[in-house]
Amino acid sequence: MIVEGRARMEMAYRERWKAEIAAMRRVLASLAMTEECKWGKPTYTVDGKNVVIMQGFKEYFALGFFHGALLKDPKKVLVQLGQVHAGRVMKFTSAKDIAAKAATIKAYVREAIAVEKAGLRMTPRKTADFPVPE
């Protein structure tokens, strides 16, 4: 489908994680953010800046934090996927799992909102920071 001259992306495994999307929306509803659709996924913003995004994967559902590496992560629930610099995700396997962790999710998202409002960012990597084959 073409929307405004661009191909519209869809969230992977959207149907599989329908209950989890609904559960996460309920948890995030009380927080001062705006839900938008970016990259075909529910994305939450504050003052137009990305804070968190819902993502569906084959084995799990995730709440992605755009600047998750800057969060304290006292419960050690944030995971780095691949070689991303700042992003981190919180993984879930069911709507029940999301409901059980609602207080933790809210605490982490509140901190992510504070990071965004403060304008904190990771230090950009230099080419020398990456392994380069001979």
Side-chain angles (χ1 to χ4, degrees):
M1 177 190 306
I2 302 295
V3 178
E4 296 176 19
R6 294 184 298 192
R8 185 171 181 268
M9 294 175 61
E10 267 298 318
M11 178 176 171
Y13 305 101
R14 181 182 292 277
E15 284 303 309
R16 176 180 180 158
W17 301 111
K18 205 172 201 170
E20 289 72 18
I21 293 167
M24 188 62 73
R25 279 187 167 130
R26 283 191 296 274
V27 171
L28 300 177
S30 65
L31 300 168
M33 296 186 294
T34 302
E35 180 180 316
E36 301 179 37
C37 182
K38 294 188 178 186
W39 309 283
K41 301 173 178 91
T43 305
Y44 288 79
T45 63
V46 171
D47 299 327
K49 307 281 186 188
N50 299 329
V51 178
V52 292
I53 186 168
M54 292 186 212
Q55 299 172 289
F57 295 91
K58 188 175 183 179
E59 302 295 327
Y60 60 90
F61 174 79
L63 182 64
F65 291 79
F66 286 92
H67 297 286
L70 297 172
L71 303 182
K72 292 180 182 77
D73 195 15
K75 297 194 181 276
K76 304 292 181 224
V77 293
L78 296 178
V79 178
Q80 179 178 2
L81 299 180
Q83 296 298 314
V84 296
H85 189 49
R88 298 293 183 271
V89 300
M90 202 179 276
K91 295 181 177 183
F92 304 94
T93 54
S94 68
K96 194 179 286 187
D97 188 22
I98 291 167
K101 295 176 181 163
T104 298
I105 295 165
K106 286 181 184 181
Y108 276 66
V109 173
R110 281 190 198 100
E111 186 182 357
I113 291 169
V115 162
E116 193 53 58
K117 285 186 173 183
L120 302 179
R121 295 292 179 264
M122 296 284 290
T123 306
R125 293 179 183 170
K126 299 178 191 76
T127 305
D129 295 338
F130 298 96
V132 179
E134 293 296 322

